[in-house]
């Protein structure tokens, strides 16, 4: 398992209508509008957890992660399940299941 602190904002759409008519005569966005946009769409601290598990354990682990983290609010996270072609332990040279 590897846990990494990351920054992100999910898929919240930028509300372009907030500044559609906000440009001044020099075609620049006034500082106050730019600051408001920055505040609304700021990157938030998040955690990325990487797990390498056996195929037979994937469903149980995914179900547990969802059970623990799901509260019905935006920002509960995403789970990406990917196949791994091979695993190699650098120190020992072990490969495949033995390396997990």
């Amino acid at each position: 398992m590897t846990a990494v602190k990351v920054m992100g904002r999910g898929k919240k759409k930028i509300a372009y209508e907030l500044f559609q008519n906000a440009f001044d005569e020099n075609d620049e966005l006034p500082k106050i509008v730019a600051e408001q946009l920055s505040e609304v769409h700021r990157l938030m601290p998040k955690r990325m957890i990487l797990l390498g598990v056996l195929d037979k354990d994937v469903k149980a682990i995914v179900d547990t992660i969802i059970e623990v983290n799901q509260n019905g609010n935006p920002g509960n996270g995403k789970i990406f399940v990917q196949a791994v072609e091979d695993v190699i332990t650098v120190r020992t040279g072990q490969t495949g299941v033995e390396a997990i």
Side-chain angles (χ1 to χ4, degrees), residues 27-78:
D27 212 21
E28 294 179 0
L29 197 59
K31 184 177 180 181
I32 187 72
V33 175
E35 287 174 357
Q36 289 172 345
L37 284 171
S38 174
E39 188 64 31
V40 170
H41 302 290
R42 183 170 302 216
L43 296 176
M44 303 297 295
K46 301 193 178 271
R47 291 175 302 277
M48 180 171 59
I49 299 172
L50 305 169
L51 299 170
V53 301
L54 298 173
D55 288 344
K56 68 180 184 66
D57 297 329
V58 171
K59 182 173 178 3
I61 290 170
V62 168
D63 290 347
T64 300
I65 292 169
I66 290 171
E67 182 182 325
V68 170
N69 291 285
Q70 187 178 56
N71 65 15
N73 295 321
N76 286 162
K78 298 271 189 281

Side-chain angles (χ1 to χ4, degrees), residues 7-27:
M7 300 294 286
R9 69 173 186 91
K11 63 180 182 179
K12 183 177 179 182
K13 302 292 185 217
I14 295 175
Y16 291 104
E17 65 274 2
L18 292 176
F19 62 98
Q20 187 173 13
N21 298 314
F23 291 92
D24 62 18
E25 61 277 353
N26 296 324
D27 212 21

Side-chain angles (χ1 to χ4, degrees), residues 71-90:
N71 65 15
N73 295 321
N76 286 162
K78 298 271 189 281
I79 298 172
F80 297 91
V81 178
Q82 296 179 304
V84 174
E85 188 174 322
D86 200 3
V87 178
I88 303 164
T89 300
V90 174

